[in-house]
Amino acid sequence: MAPKLSDSVQGLRAAGNQSFRNGQFGEAAALYSRALQLMQAQGSSDLEEESVLYSNRAACYLKDGNCRDCIKDCTSALALVPFSMKPLLRRASAYEALEKYPLAYVDYKTVLQIDDSVKAALEGINRMTGALMDSLGPEWRLKLPSIPLVPVSAQKRWDSLPSENRKEKAKSKSKETTTAKNKVPSAGDVERARVLKEEGNELVKKGNHKKAIEKYSESLSFSNLESATYSNRALCYLVLKQYKEAVKDCTEALKLDGKNVKAFYRRAQAYKALKDYKSSFADISSLLQIEPRNGPAQKLKQEVNQKLN
């Protein structure tokens, strides 16, 4: 004999959904709980169904202001099906309500890795950035928990690509492509590029220039409109004695910002190392027109001048 609708997991979930739509959040949570208990009693291995039930119950808790239980259920849902969008957003909202802004920021950022067009996550990031700046000061990003890297399989932007294009898309993670140069980056792309650039900056401070290059390259694959990212990567190339690459990056940086003093200085250094003293002298002269009292540039000008004479 077939079970009654209300005695099946699917029936209990459907009833819970109806109660939620009716604004009966306590009743909906009870129905989702019954469905979870039934799944456990049956020894069900349907992880996706179980994850949805936890996530739905979390939505009820969030509506009723029970943020702590919402967080617990979202965490359970994500343990079953990692990087699910709804539990990430619900947990972020709960963290935000509890003023746990760093954790909320991480969840919103994770959502944007999955789909960089989610309005709730973009708005959440903006709120959290302001709140974290106010509470932790200008160095707030250094105090954040690590942001998990979402696997390619979970990223919506990859879902619409034909399989033969995915390898080519993956290559753009290590270098900016023609497509990336021609497209206007979304707000999510710009934000992710900024975070990756800052991760590169931290690696430079630690002396890990090879890894920093990878971060800057990944940043540029999301948005290639930041002059400083090119000039920062150029610094790494200089340290690694890859002078031609440094020249190219400084040139790109100066296309974006014709007064980027660091780009002029680093390109002058690279030209000097390549024994192109005329080009080096020209860059130092351009720099000193912008900053006449720049001590390192004045010293470099003297060195290059000696080579020319």
Side-chain angles (χ1 to χ4, degrees), residues 16-299:
N17 292 349
Q18 187 59 53
S19 294
F20 187 90
R21 285 192 289 269
N22 293 338
Q24 299 169 316
F25 306 122
E27 181 180 310
L31 287 163
Y32 295 137
S33 296
R34 283 176 57 192
L36 283 164
Q37 290 167 3
L38 184 57
M39 284 194 77
Q40 290 161 7
Q42 294 174 344
S44 173
S45 59
D46 189 340
L47 301 183
E48 189 167 340
E49 177 71 25
E50 190 175 354
S51 178
V52 168
L53 288 168
Y54 276 116
S55 179
N56 287 3
R57 190 171 68 177
C60 300
Y61 290 145
L62 187 62
K63 287 288 188 180
D64 279 339
N66 184 354
C67 293
R68 286 179 174 79
D69 282 341
C70 171
I71 290 167
K72 287 179 184 177
D73 270 7
C74 289
T75 302
S76 296
L78 291 163
L80 293 163
V81 181
F83 304 112
S84 298
M85 189 104 65
K86 287 182 179 179
L88 278 168
L89 282 169
R90 288 163 185 166
R91 190 170 68 178
S93 296
Y95 279 140
E96 183 175 354
L98 293 173
E99 298 185 2
K100 295 184 177 182
Y101 301 135
L103 295 172
Y105 183 93
V106 168
D107 277 351
Y108 284 132
K109 286 291 294 180
T110 305
V111 169
L112 290 175
Q113 289 185 66
I114 301 165
D115 182 352
D116 60 14
S117 67
V118 177
K119 186 179 178 182
L122 290 168
E123 292 175 349
I125 281 291
N126 289 335
R127 288 194 305 274
M128 293 307 94
T129 298
L132 288 164
M133 179 72 78
D134 291 341
S135 61
L136 300 179
E139 300 297 316
W140 63 270
R141 291 187 184 90
L142 302 178
K143 301 171 186 177
L144 290 176
S146 61
I147 298 170
L149 183 63
V150 176
V152 171
S153 58
Q155 295 181 25
K156 181 184 176 183
R157 66 172 64 88
W158 290 65
D159 292 345
S160 59
L161 287 172
S163 58
E164 63 269 19
N165 289 345
R166 292 187 183 178
K167 289 182 181 178
E168 188 61 33
K169 179 73 175 180
K171 290 178 184 176
S172 73
K173 294 291 183 177
S174 60
K175 64 178 181 179
E176 56 277 19
T177 61
T178 302
T179 302
K181 287 186 176 182
N182 290 337
K183 77 168 187 174
V184 177
S186 68
D189 285 339
V190 171
E191 174 65 14
R192 193 169 182 199
R194 183 188 58 74
V195 170
L196 286 163
K197 184 188 78 170
E198 290 173 358
E199 290 176 5
N201 294 348
E202 289 304 308
L203 287 165
V204 168
K205 291 175 185 176
K206 295 174 182 176
N208 194 339
H209 294 93
K210 286 185 178 179
K211 284 287 183 183
I213 286 172
E214 292 177 11
K215 288 292 182 182
Y216 292 137
S217 299
E218 190 175 0
S219 173
L220 289 166
S221 75
F222 284 99
S223 173
N224 59 355
L225 304 178
E226 182 69 42
S227 177
T229 308
Y230 282 108
S231 56
N232 288 2
R233 189 170 68 175
L235 170 64
C236 299
Y237 284 135
L238 275 173
V239 172
L240 298 172
K241 299 183 179 181
Q242 296 176 243
Y243 301 120
K244 290 181 180 179
E245 287 81 359
V247 168
K248 288 177 184 177
D249 269 5
C250 289
T251 301
E252 291 297 327
L254 289 164
K255 286 178 184 176
L256 293 165
D257 178 5
K259 293 185 177 181
N260 186 330
V261 170
K262 290 180 178 179
F264 274 123
Y265 184 72
R266 289 165 186 168
R267 191 167 69 177
Q269 288 179 302
Y271 277 137
K272 181 191 172 192
L274 292 167
K275 298 183 180 181
D276 185 349
Y277 301 121
K278 287 184 179 180
S279 296
S280 180
F281 190 85
D283 276 347
I284 301 165
S285 299
S286 297
L287 188 164
L288 288 170
Q289 286 179 1
I290 302 167
E291 288 188 8
R293 297 183 180 181
N294 188 305
Q298 289 173 345
K299 182 180 177 183

